[in-house]
Amino acid sequence: MLVRGDRIVAAGPVSSVTSPTGARTIDLAGTTLMPGLIDAHSHVLLHPYNETPWDDQVLHEPLALRVARATNHLRNTLMAGFTTLRDLGTEGAADADVGLKQAIDRGIILGPRLIPSTRAIVATGSYGPKGFDPRWDVPQGAQEADGVEGVAHVVREQIGHGAEWIKLYADYRWGPNSETRPTFSEEELRSAVETARSSGRPVVVHSSTPEGMRRAINAGVETIEHGDGGTPEVFRLMAQKGIALCPTLAAGDAILQYRGWKKGVDPDPPSIRAKKASFKAALDAGVTIASGSDVGVFTHGDNARELEMLVEYGMTPIQALRAATSVDAKVLHLDERIGRVTPGLLADLVAVAGDPTRDISAIRQVRLVMKGGRIVRAPALP
């Protein structure tokens, strides 16, 4: 492969690639070279819940502390071979993901290509933190909005603050017994989609109930996150509409382990069995599977966990690798820039020891990382 500047110039057999005089050569014998990995669902301003509960991160940690910690998260993620992240909500940290993106782009800090969504949008009264005396107006982990006009206003506000994707919660745990129920109406979701689309921005929703997913699908969103309770009928509708599912398998798995589940020793809890069934239904329906881990719930830099679980839950290694490269690139509208080892695209490249098409865990054995033609990790470098 030949890289010049930030682009791939040529790729193929040695006989087909001419090395210019003075070109730097890196010998990667014994490795597999592939496109930089993409995580389409991250929270760079969160850290694992077994370190600090979500409520305490939102309410007690100073913004400066969270941003400082996030710079480490971003560096660790890039060094793990993930060269692009879609950040889906700052969780109480305002629009800090936009500032982090600017710091990366200007070379101030090291990190993946970052796609910010600023604050997620939630229906009033549905999100958290909760459980406080109702006299107090407790800061929320997302931005509240109500009604067709209210949702449109908040979408425009987030666009003005630098959001490149708009994220809404189509359902959440606000039922009479804290069960998950739909939040926004189909009309409110459609208002968000139409407003965002007029600015050239897509909409993504958090949803795990069949009704919340159905409303989001009908409203015209582009990706649905989680989808735990998706039914075969709902998944068939997603496939027909070309809406991608980002199943975030690793997050629920991590949370249950925090609560005491010994994976591989204890039987699968009911929620894990249900998740495996819904994921199989999505695969059977032909839904596009995007790879996004919900990292932040667990340790940044351990993003490979999601690809391993995609395989564990039924995908082949090559399907999982495509989900985290070419498929994610297309879902994120970046397929003309990243996601493939193709001349003309940005030189986002990762080399790993072994063959991840046979053993997906090989993606953890990172030997080289290049982002936009710049080597950030190599055998001769720290």
Side-chain angles (χ1 to χ4, degrees):
M1 178 176 299
L2 179 63
V3 172
R4 182 181 292 117
D6 64 353
R7 302 280 168 170
I8 299 169
V9 176
V14 172
S15 60
S16 69
V17 180
T18 301
S19 178
T21 302
R24 178 181 180 184
T25 300
I26 300 176
D27 185 354
L28 295 170
T31 70
T32 299
L33 188 65
M34 59 186 183
L37 296 165
I38 302 168
D39 193 323
H41 190 131
S42 67
H43 295 281
V44 299
L45 288 138
L46 290 177
H47 59 106
Y49 297 173
N50 63 336
E51 296 175 359
T52 306
W54 183 85
D55 279 17
D56 289 344
Q57 293 187 47
V58 172
L59 295 175
H60 295 298
E61 292 187 344
L63 180 59
L65 172 65
R66 296 185 68 183
V67 170
R69 183 182 278 119
T71 63
N72 287 334
H73 297 164
L74 290 161
R75 184 182 63 249
N76 292 344
T77 302
L78 182 60
M79 292 302 177
F82 287 79
T83 55
T84 300
L85 292 183
R86 181 177 61 166
D87 196 63
L88 288 183
T90 58
E91 306 295 337
D95 307 316
D97 55 350
V98 176
L100 288 166
K101 171 188 169 61
Q102 293 171 349
I104 293 167
D105 291 348
R106 296 175 188 180
I108 298 168
I109 62 174
L110 198 60
R113 191 168 287 102
L114 190 62
I115 303 167
S117 65
T118 69
R119 295 176 287 173
I121 301 172
V122 295
T124 298
S126 65
Y127 205 56
K130 286 185 177 294
F132 296 87
D133 187 320
R135 290 176 298 166
W136 313 132
D137 187 11
V138 177
Q140 296 291 282
Q143 186 171 6
E144 295 182 323
D146 301 288
V148 169
E149 290 301 321
V151 168
H153 174 79
V154 168
V155 169
R156 292 186 182 108
E157 184 176 279
Q158 292 197 357
I159 290 168
H161 290 175
E164 295 179 11
W165 276 70
I166 299 298
K167 180 187 179 184
L168 296 97
Y169 278 72
D171 48 39
Y172 204 66
R173 299 185 296 271
W174 74 321
N177 299 301
S178 298
E179 73 274 20
T180 301
R181 304 278 296 182
T183 52
F184 290 114
S185 68
E186 190 174 311
E187 290 71 25
E188 288 171 317
L189 292 171
R190 185 173 290 112
S191 173
V193 170
E194 291 175 353
T195 304
R197 185 175 291 153
S198 70
S199 76
R201 289 168 175 80
V203 169
V204 47
V205 298
H206 162 120
S207 186
S208 61
T209 64
E211 177 59 16
M213 294 172 72
R214 186 193 64 79
R215 293 181 189 181
I217 293 165
N218 290 339
V221 307
E222 295 201 13
T223 74
I224 292 178
E225 311 301 295
H226 315 303
D228 295 20
T231 63
E233 179 185 16
V234 167
F235 287 131
R236 283 194 295 270
L237 188 58
M238 284 183 68
Q240 291 168 10
K241 300 277 190 178
I243 297 169
L245 172 69
C246 197
T248 63
L249 305 177
D253 182 89
I255 288 171
L256 286 169
Q257 291 189 62
Y258 298 156
R259 294 173 180 171
W261 174 48
K262 295 181 176 60
K263 185 175 181 178
V265 177
D266 297 338
D268 286 348
S271 61
I272 293 292
R273 294 197 300 270
K275 184 70 170 181
K276 288 180 176 179
S278 68
F279 185 68
K280 183 179 184 302
L283 290 178
D284 290 345
V287 174
T288 296
I289 303 297
S291 180
S293 66
D294 215 351
V295 65
V297 173
F298 59 95
T299 305
H300 293 273
D302 192 24
N303 309 61
R305 189 169 179 166
E306 183 72 14
L307 279 81
E308 292 172 335
M309 292 194 64
L310 289 173
V311 174
E312 179 186 340
Y313 278 38
M315 296 180 83
T316 65
I318 193 67
Q319 287 174 329
L321 289 166
R322 286 174 177 152
T325 53
S326 58
V327 172
D328 267 358
K330 186 173 183 179
V331 166
L332 298 178
H333 302 271
L334 294 172
D335 51 318
E336 295 303 315
R337 300 182 65 206
I338 61 173
R340 292 168 290 142
V341 179
T342 301
L345 269 60
L346 289 171
D348 284 9
L349 301 167
V350 177
V352 299
D355 183 356
T357 68
R358 296 179 179 274
D359 177 6
I360 193 64
S361 65
I363 61 171
R364 292 185 177 276
Q365 306 304 315
V366 177
R367 296 294 180 264
L368 175 137
V369 179
M370 177 182 286
K371 177 194 166 193
R374 178 189 175 191
I375 298 170
V376 296
R377 179 174 180 175
L381 298 174

